[in-house]
Amino acid sequence: MAPGWSYLWCIPAVIVAITPLIYLWVRTSELGWETIDGLLRRPRLLEMVGNTLILAATVTVGVLVIGITTAFLVSRTDIRFRALIHILAALPLAAPTYVTAFAWRTTFTGFEGFWPTAIVLTLATFPYVHLPVTAALSRTDPALEDMSRSLGRGPWTTFFAVTIRQIAPAAIAGGLLASLYVLSDFGAVSILKYETFTTAIYSSHRLGFAQDGALLYSSVLALIALAVLASEWGVSSRGRNVRRTRADGGAVRTARRIRLGWRQVPIWIGIGALTWASLGVMAWSLLKWNIVGVSQAGTAELWSAAATSLGLAAVATVATMLLIVPVGLYVARHRGPLAAVTERLMYIGHALPGIVVGLSLVFMAINVTWLQENMYQTTAWLIVGYAVIFLPLGLGAVKAAAEQAPPRLGEVARSLGRRPSEVFRTVTLPLTAPGIAAGAALVFLTAMKELPATLLLRPAHIDTLATRLWTYTDVSAFSAAAPFAALLVLLSAIPTWLLASRFGRN
């Protein structure tokens, strides 16, 4: 199929991806410069900027320290049970941050404010650094480190002068992803009572008369998030240019592992403390509160919320993959500015916090007559919001699978007289099916946990596990919230296990 015709299938995804952001900025511009100037001069805006950026910077420093340390331990030392440490370091990604925040707040009295929020978000997001740095350490050239040691440098000087420079792109990219997550987080900061942009936007929207402030806060937060995303793209592209080659042009050999000896004991104590903080507190808290909470939450209410979460996640997965599969195939098979721009546009949803996407769609539904009559506060409009947020999750897996599928097979099928639809059904789809399945599992997993967009866009009669957990936690009904948190973690673990099994086989 000609590139122009095949691109027509990408247009719906492009419209879904960029419409909320464009509408948000158009609505903000309609406020008028006098109103915008007045809102920008408010001390509250500066306070929100300061709170959010200080939290993002603190968490970024924390995840870099923890992520690089754990990655170095499993990649360059002879510490025992390295595979177990690697799995334990990746597991915090499976739990929603608001569940982790709920667990810490219900375990320790008065656990609220800046430092508790920074601790919880650091523990939840350090895998964003651990995973890419572990991969980067496997690609770096140990000969450079050997040369540094032969010149008389000690192990620490070699680590900071040589090793850190080699893994810097991966570490910085992971740190920026963690900071992007902090900018968009709503559940954890809300439960731990630390006010950031996302909580201010939600509060302004709930007050009703402060819609101008909600619009401006959303636009400013979107600009900050897009700037962070652009930085992450730049760093990641430099990281991809690092090849697995030796300084002298030969093949890379495996690095010698550092013998830890007696130092394994204090290191294992540190790893145990990290595992207890990132996973143990949550497991203990959910177990303790569920012993009390099951009788108070109401079994019917619990299973109804679970069924709603599963149903919404399933529909969102189907809708997102129908939109993103044509885009993944297009950007994998074509080169040029159009494919590059289209791929970047799909990632806008990754930069926009869920609460910004939700608020933009709420304003759009309120102010466009047809949408107000047919879509406002409907499940269909909520699914549109999910699709905007989750498009990038499906794109990566589909594109990777399509790039590995030989395009010549499709050309051979067309030369034998097959129509484009038959080529897609009999050749392209089977070859890319593993990638589509992986992308679908990732979308399903994330949709199960989504909170801020669901709070703003859901119909009045619909409650998910995440919204019920947030509602009970908001009124300090912890024993009633616990069963929803436990079931959410359990259901989220299934697609996580499927993803881990697939990548483990590969």
Side-chain angles (χ1 to χ4, degrees), residues 293-304:
V294 168
S295 60
Q296 298 185 10
T299 305
E301 180 187 1
L302 180 65
W303 291 115
S304 172

Side-chain angles (χ1 to χ4, degrees), residues 161-350:
V162 179
T163 310
I164 283 289
R165 294 182 64 177
Q166 289 181 296
I167 63 174
I172 295 174
L176 288 172
L177 279 179
S179 65
L180 199 61
Y181 191 96
V182 173
L183 291 177
S184 65
D185 184 81
F186 171 74
V189 296
S190 182
I191 290 174
L192 296 174
K193 309 296 182 186
Y194 181 71
E195 192 166 33
T196 63
F197 259 117
T198 54
T199 57
I201 291 168
Y202 186 72
S203 300
S204 300
H205 174 68
R206 287 185 66 180
L207 290 174
F209 56 82
Q211 301 295 340
D212 292 351
L215 268 174
L216 186 68
Y217 291 157
S218 299
S219 297
V220 173
L221 182 56
L223 284 173
I224 295 174
L226 288 174
V228 173
L229 183 65
S231 303
E232 194 272 338
W233 281 342
V235 174
S236 296
S237 61
R238 285 200 295 274
R240 283 192 292 270
N241 293 329
V242 176
R243 302 299 184 192
R244 185 178 166 83
T245 56
R246 274 182 57 167
D248 58 5
V252 173
R253 60 178 172 78
T254 302
R256 284 183 302 175
R257 296 191 179 275
I258 300 172
R259 297 179 64 83
L260 294 176
W262 62 269
R263 289 170 293 190
Q264 291 210 22
V265 175
I267 290 174
W268 261 108
I269 293 175
I271 292 172
L274 178 64
T275 304
W276 175 84
S278 59
L279 300 170
V281 172
M282 179 178 64
W284 164 250
S285 176
L286 293 183
L287 179 64
K288 181 184 72 173
W289 285 102
N290 267 288
I291 294 174
V292 182
V294 168
S295 60
Q296 298 185 10
T299 305
E301 180 187 1
L302 180 65
W303 291 115
S304 172
T308 304
S309 293
L310 290 169
L312 286 176
V315 176
T317 301
V318 172
T320 303
M321 297 312 295
L322 285 175
L323 287 168
I324 204 61
V325 166
V327 180
L329 296 175
Y330 184 86
V331 299
R333 299 289 169 77
H334 300 91
R335 295 291 181 267
L338 184 61
V341 170
T342 302
E343 184 176 4
R344 290 289 186 263
L345 290 177
M346 293 301 107
Y347 281 95
I348 286 178
H350 184 65

Side-chain angles (χ1 to χ4, degrees), residues 409-435:
L409 294 178
E411 296 171 3
V412 171
R414 283 191 292 273
S415 69
L416 295 175
R418 297 278 182 90
R419 290 177 298 180
S421 59
E422 291 177 313
V423 174
F424 177 78
R425 180 173 55 82
T426 59
V427 178
T428 307
L429 192 58
L431 290 174
T432 55

Side-chain angles (χ1 to χ4, degrees), residues 113-129:
F114 172 76
W115 284 111
T117 308
I119 290 171
V120 165
L121 290 177
T122 300
L123 293 171
T125 58
F126 81 85
Y128 283 120
V129 174

Side-chain angles (χ1 to χ4, degrees), residues 432-457:
T432 55
I436 295 174
L442 196 57
V443 171
F444 185 87
L445 169 66
T446 315
M448 282 284 298
K449 303 185 294 184
E450 211 290 328
L451 176 62
T454 309
L455 283 173
L456 292 174
L457 295 172

